[in-house]
């Protein structure tokens, strides 16, 4: 566990030594241990939880300085090229050997900064998928970077203003601006890319990981793909295991439970393992769908792992939803607190599996239609059902034939234009192009199922959530591991012939076959992906906490409301009864909490406030 940070004067002007100590305090949480290195024109360091060992370090040589928050999973492969004693040294030697493409040779989770004194360049690298966060601010030959934007904002070293573009992106669900953070001028380093900053003050982002260039292996049989997939999943999981107290996400689904099963099978002492579920421990009421609790219990009984269910006060859901630093999946925050109490140091997640390795049949109709495989499409319809196929056609194909949400069938991801009533006309007029013309890219594309997966990568959905988890987990003294997003595993997945991903029209067949004998059979053969009990619980919390949410809104002083919103419009919606459309209720909930989150964010990180440690 570690955060990194630094200040570099690209024109060699002296840096105030006290600035790096301020940055260390605001990037790290209260009580963190700091390690700082300073020179005349640069200052950098890393911080970590006082009860956990640092997983960042600084490597220095005559013409090179490397600061890296890094874990390496292909250590043996790298040792074939050079010797190293620590991960940051490995990154330095990879840079010496392969230059700007060095990061593509490292399978790991990392955020790394390379200061090349000879070339007079500073390079910011981030791993292929974005497991470790990294942001930067650049202005007038001064570069400041850190593991998260909130530390930069609180430090007072950069001017902080709310990014209105980012707010629009989130409010209207465009989901295009991953490069930008919630603060104007503070940018994310995009996963799989590096940012190079030169002495003349110019910064440019370039890719080093190019999964779109991976060729399909036409010699690969389906059985061979299953065997290799199984081997890589197990290897990716084992490479991330450490001798410590370990947490496991156990949702009852095939992704999280598959990874949890591998860890459990390789851990003789099961008392060092604890499973965590988002499913509530008790729930009174109806559940619309399959209850996942029996699947979780089947896993617990077979693998002999203690599993803890969610057991929190309803108001805590609301409080977590408006934490300004916690941008997504607020239901995970209670799990974080339980993990801290249990002394967990590593928490395994199946996150990202259904985007790639265990990809469902999403986009199959689109792929078959635009590739003119209409005979196969008819077979698909007979196997999956006419009604289901027509629904997929409406969502996967029609948006590409009739764009701009012109048909009412586009229910998923469709913009609710009624939210315009929340915004002042002057704000809408100022940003009308982004609001009305800056539409989210269709994720399916024109009939290429591989392109569909690449589009999911480019949306930034994966790193956005991982950023949030990484930032908050550091506070509690543990870190997440994502075996299903392993670089070597993903590169193999992109080489698998497309037809294997929808073979026999069975959803997630490749993954299910690879998990035979590992994953609890009751879970492996389940056909749905629902978490009905958790969803039912969340909806009840939404209904029960509407009044509480309203009180928070009404208690805001006039001066704390965002100036470009109309509070009176929110008040009218608060007084409306719940709709029969559950999706609309959830969207309204998200609008309220997003607004309150931004209000809290502006209040906490306004640049006029004095510098203080994060609470």
């Amino acid at each position: 566990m570690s955060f990194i940070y630094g200040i570099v004067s690209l024109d060699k002007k002296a840096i105030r030594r006290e600035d790096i100590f301020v940055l260390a305090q605001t990037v790290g949480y209260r009580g963190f241990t700091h390690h700082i290195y300073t020179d005349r024109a640069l200052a950098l360091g890393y911080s970590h939880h006082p009860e956990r060992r640092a997983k960042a370090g600084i490597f220095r040589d005559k013409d090179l300085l490397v600061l890296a928050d890094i874990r390496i999973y292909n250590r043996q492969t790298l040792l074939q090229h050079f010797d190293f004693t620590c991960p940051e040294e490995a990154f330095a030697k990879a840079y010496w050997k392969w230059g700007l493409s060095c990061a593509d040779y490292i399978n790991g989770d990392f955020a790394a900064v390379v200061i090349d004194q000879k070339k007079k360049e500073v390079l910011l690298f981030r791993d292929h998928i974005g497991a470790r966060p990294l942001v930067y601010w650049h202005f007038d030959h001064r570069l400041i970077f850190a593991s998260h934007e909130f530390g930069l904002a609180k430090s007072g070293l950069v001017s902080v203003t709310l990014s209105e573009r980012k707010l629009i992106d989130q409010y209207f669900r465009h989901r295009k601006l991953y490069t930008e953070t919630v603060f104007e001028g503070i940018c994310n380093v995009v996963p799989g890319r590096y940012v190079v900053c030169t002495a003349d003050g110019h910064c440019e982002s370039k890719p080093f990981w190019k999964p779109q260039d991976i060729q399909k292996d036409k010699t690969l049989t389906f059985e061979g793909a299953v065997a290799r997939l199984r081997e890589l999943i197990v290897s990716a999981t084992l490479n991330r295991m450490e001798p410590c107290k370990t947490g496991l996400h156990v949702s009852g689904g095939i992704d999280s439970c598959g990874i949890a099963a591998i860890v459990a099978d390789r851990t003789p002492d099961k008392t060092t393992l604890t499973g965590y579920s988002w499913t509530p421990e008790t729930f009174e009421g109806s559940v619309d769908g399959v209850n996942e609790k029996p699947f979780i219990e089947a896993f617990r009984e077979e693998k002999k792992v203690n599993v803890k269910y969610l057991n929190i006060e309803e108001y805590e859901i609301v409080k977590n939803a408006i934490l300004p630093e916690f941008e997504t999946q607020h239901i995970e925050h209670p799990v974080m607190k339980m993990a801290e109490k249990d002394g967990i140091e590593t928490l395994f997640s199946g996150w990202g599996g259904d985007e790639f390795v265990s990809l469902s049949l999403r986009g199959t109709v689109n792929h078959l239609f635009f590739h003119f495989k209409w005979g196969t499409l008819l077979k698909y319809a007979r196997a999956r059902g006419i009604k289901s196929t027509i629904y997929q056609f409406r969502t996967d194909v029609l948006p590409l034939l009739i764009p701009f949400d012109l048909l009412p069938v586009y229910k998923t991801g469709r913009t609710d234009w009624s939210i315009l009533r929340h915004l002042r006309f002057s704000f809408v007029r100022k940003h009308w192009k982004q609001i009305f013309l800056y539409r989210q890219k269709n994720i399916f594309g024109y009939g290429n199922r591989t392109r569909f997966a690449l589009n999911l990568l480019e949306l930034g959905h994966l790193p956005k959530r991982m950023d949030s988890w990484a930032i908050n987990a550091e506070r509690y003294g543990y870190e997440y591991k994502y075996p299903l997003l392993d670089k070597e595993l993903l590169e193999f997945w992109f080489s698998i012939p497309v037809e294997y991903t929808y073979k026999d029209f069975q959803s997630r067949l490749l993954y299910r076959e690879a998990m035979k004998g590992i994953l609890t059979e009751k879970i492996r053969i389940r056909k749905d992906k629902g978490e009905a009990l958790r969803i039912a619980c969340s909806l009840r919390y939404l209904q029960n906490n509407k009044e509480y949410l309203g009180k928070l809104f009404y208690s805001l002083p006039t001066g704390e409301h965002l100036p470009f919103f109309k509070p009176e419009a929110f008040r009218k919606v608060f007084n409306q009864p719940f709709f029969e459309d559950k999706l609309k209720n959830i969207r309204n909930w998200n609008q309220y909490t997003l607004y309150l989150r931004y209000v809290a964010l502006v209040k906490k990180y306004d640049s006029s406030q004095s510098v203080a440690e994060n609470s």
Side-chain angles (χ1 to χ4, degrees):
M1 284 73 68
S2 295
F3 284 143
I4 61 174
Y5 43 82
I7 308 169
V8 181
S9 179
L10 297 171
D11 57 2
K12 299 301 181 181
K13 290 183 179 179
I15 293 173
R16 295 193 312 166
R17 196 166 182 269
E18 56 267 31
D19 286 350
I20 192 64
F21 290 97
V22 169
L23 188 59
Q25 293 292 324
T26 57
V27 172
Y29 290 113
R30 189 185 302 275
F32 267 34
T33 301
H34 308 295
H35 305 264
I36 294 174
Y37 169 82
T38 62
D39 202 343
R40 183 178 181 278
L42 65 89
L44 46 81
Y46 60 95
S47 301
H48 61 94
H49 193 285
E51 298 178 5
R52 300 287 183 260
R53 66 183 179 89
K55 292 194 175 179
I58 300 172
F59 178 83
R60 299 192 299 274
D61 199 14
K62 180 181 177 182
D63 296 319
L64 197 69
L65 189 150
V66 173
L67 167 65
D69 168 21
I70 183 170
R71 304 100 181 93
I72 295 178
Y73 306 126
N74 65 334
R75 178 183 175 87
Q76 295 304 316
T77 300
L78 292 178
L79 284 171
Q80 295 174 14
H81 297 280
F82 46 73
D83 293 326
F84 59 91
T85 57
C86 59
E88 55 272 19
E89 181 185 2
F91 202 97
K93 290 188 174 179
Y95 178 75
W96 285 335
K97 184 174 181 63
W98 294 299
L100 296 176
S101 61
C102 62
D104 196 30
Y105 290 87
I106 298 176
N107 183 1
D109 303 334
F110 58 83
V113 179
V114 175
I115 300 176
D116 190 327
Q117 305 281 16
K118 196 171 184 179
K119 292 184 177 180
K120 299 180 181 180
E121 293 179 344
V122 179
L123 301 116
L124 311 176
F125 292 88
R126 195 165 173 202
D127 67 71
H128 70 291
I129 206 69
R132 300 306 298 170
L134 184 61
V135 303
Y136 67 99
W137 176 88
H138 170 251
F139 180 74
D140 192 25
H141 294 84
R142 188 176 176 89
L143 174 70
I144 307 180
F145 60 86
S147 291
H148 58 87
E149 64 268 34
F150 308 106
L152 288 190
K154 198 65 177 178
S155 71
L157 299 175
V158 303
S159 58
V160 175
T161 56
L162 181 70
S163 171
E164 295 179 2
R165 283 169 50 82
K166 187 69 172 182
L167 186 147
I168 292 171
D169 187 63
Q170 292 187 327
Y171 205 65
F172 287 90
R173 304 175 74 246
H174 290 167
R175 300 176 184 175
K176 277 192 171 183
L177 298 176
Y178 177 73
T179 305
E180 299 185 19
T181 68
V182 293
F183 301 113
E184 194 73 42
I186 301 178
C187 301
N188 281 305
V189 177
V190 177
R193 300 180 72 93
Y194 65 88
V195 175
V196 55
C197 298
T198 56
D200 61 4
H202 178 69
C203 286
E204 185 179 4
S205 175
K206 298 181 179 181
F208 66 80
W209 190 54
K210 301 177 181 179
Q212 66 273 17
D213 293 341
I214 297 174
Q215 299 296 312
K216 298 297 181 185
D217 184 356
K218 296 181 180 180
T219 66
L220 189 66
T221 65
F222 181 80
E223 292 73 19
V226 168
R228 182 59 176 156
L229 198 64
R230 177 190 180 100
E231 178 186 347
L232 288 172
I233 292 171
V234 172
S235 175
T237 305
L238 297 184
N239 287 339
R240 287 162 172 77
M241 291 180 64
E242 300 178 26
C244 62
K245 287 189 176 182
T246 301
L248 308 168
H249 268 173
V250 181
S251 69
I254 65 174
D255 295 330
S256 65
C257 288
I259 297 302
I262 296 171
V263 176
D265 289 345
R266 300 306 197 282
T267 306
D269 184 4
K270 299 298 191 292
T271 63
T272 63
L273 302 178
T274 304
Y276 298 99
S277 171
W278 290 339
T279 298
E281 187 170 15
T282 59
F283 180 77
E284 295 180 3
S286 59
V287 177
D288 184 16
V290 177
N291 185 343
E292 64 272 18
K293 208 165 183 178
F295 296 102
I296 297 172
E297 286 300 311
F299 171 87
R300 181 193 60 78
E301 183 176 347
E302 179 179 301
K303 302 300 181 180
K304 310 302 179 186
V305 173
N306 178 40
V307 178
K308 294 186 176 182
Y309 292 97
L310 202 63
N311 186 13
I312 60 174
E313 297 293 331
E314 290 187 8
Y315 286 167
E316 192 173 352
I317 292 289
V318 180
K319 292 176 182 177
N320 292 334
I322 60 176
L323 287 172
E325 299 92 341
F326 202 75
E327 294 296 332
T328 58
Q329 208 66 31
H330 54 267
I331 200 170
E332 177 70 359
H333 214 76
V335 171
M336 293 181 175
K337 292 180 179 179
M338 288 192 289
E340 178 193 33
K341 187 176 180 180
D342 295 334
I344 297 299
E345 294 185 43
T346 296
L347 198 154
F348 279 84
S349 171
W351 174 236
D354 59 357
E355 269 78 12
F356 307 103
V357 178
S358 66
L359 181 66
S360 67
L361 294 175
R362 287 181 302 164
T364 301
V365 169
N366 171 285
H367 178 87
L368 296 175
F369 179 82
F370 284 108
H371 274 74
F372 301 103
K373 298 179 181 292
W374 294 351
T376 306
L377 183 57
L378 289 175
K379 295 178 182 178
Y380 179 95
R382 284 197 294 268
R384 303 295 299 180
I386 299 297
K387 185 176 180 180
S388 173
T389 305
I390 291 175
Y391 177 79
Q392 279 193 264
F393 185 88
R394 293 166 68 188
T395 57
D396 298 6
V397 178
L398 280 186
L400 292 162
L401 300 178
I402 309 175
F404 305 116
D405 290 354
L406 294 178
L407 293 180
V409 298
Y410 309 145
K411 292 184 178 180
T412 56
R414 190 184 180 195
T415 300
D416 180 5
W417 293 113
S418 66
I419 63 179
L420 285 170
R421 61 188 172 185
H422 298 161
L423 301 171
R424 297 195 183 280
F425 176 74
S426 58
F427 183 80
V428 175
R429 181 177 59 189
K430 177 182 177 182
H431 297 286
W432 71 270
K433 287 185 178 180
Q434 185 187 355
I435 292 173
F436 297 108
L437 302 181
Y438 193 52
R439 312 300 300 139
Q440 178 175 315
K441 181 180 180 180
N442 185 283
I443 61 173
F444 296 109
Y446 288 93
N448 190 316
R449 197 156 153 81
T450 302
R451 183 68 249 175
F452 167 49
L454 292 170
N455 288 341
L456 292 174
L457 269 179
E458 294 168 4
L459 277 177
H461 172 57
L462 292 173
K464 181 180 178 183
R465 185 174 295 182
M466 289 189 291
D467 288 349
S468 176
W469 285 353
I471 293 167
N472 286 278
E474 291 289 337
R475 174 187 302 172
Y476 299 116
Y478 74 91
E479 64 181 0
Y480 287 88
K481 297 293 179 65
Y482 310 100
L484 294 182
L485 294 174
D486 180 84
K487 182 174 181 287
E488 187 176 354
L489 174 59
L490 291 189
E491 288 176 346
F492 171 73
W493 186 87
F494 276 110
S495 76
I496 296 174
V498 173
E499 57 269 23
Y500 293 170
T501 67
Y502 57 83
K503 181 176 170 59
D504 298 336
F505 311 125
Q506 294 185 36
S507 183
R508 311 174 194 275
L509 181 60
L510 268 171
Y511 183 83
R512 294 181 196 277
E513 291 295 301
M515 287 291 102
K516 274 186 178 179
I518 297 176
L519 179 56
T520 303
E521 192 65 9
K522 181 172 183 176
I523 299 172
R524 192 187 72 84
I525 64 174
R526 67 179 294 191
K527 301 301 182 184
D528 67 297
K529 190 185 176 293
E531 294 179 274
L533 183 57
R534 179 184 67 80
I535 294 171
C537 182
S538 297
L539 287 172
R540 189 184 71 179
Y541 287 164
L542 165 61
Q543 295 175 351
N544 293 351
N545 286 288
K546 183 180 179 181
E547 182 179 350
Y548 174 76
L549 197 62
K551 287 180 179 178
L552 290 179
F553 182 85
Y554 294 138
S555 66
L556 289 175
T558 302
E560 290 186 7
H561 280 286
L562 299 181
F564 35 78
F565 275 77
K566 296 189 291 186
E568 60 274 13
F570 275 105
R571 294 190 183 101
K572 290 180 181 179
V573 179
F574 273 128
N575 294 327
Q576 292 179 350
F578 274 88
F579 301 99
E580 291 185 8
D581 185 347
K582 294 180 180 179
L583 181 60
K584 190 170 185 178
N585 289 329
I586 292 175
R587 286 179 176 172
N588 283 340
W589 161 276
N590 290 336
Q591 291 162 19
Y592 307 148
T593 55
L594 181 62
Y595 179 80
L596 291 172
R597 184 186 299 150
Y598 266 89
V599 169
L601 185 148
V602 171
K603 182 179 179 180
K604 186 173 182 180
Y605 293 98
D606 186 277
S607 58
S608 65
Q609 296 182 21
S610 60
V611 175
E613 292 182 344
N614 289 356
S615 60

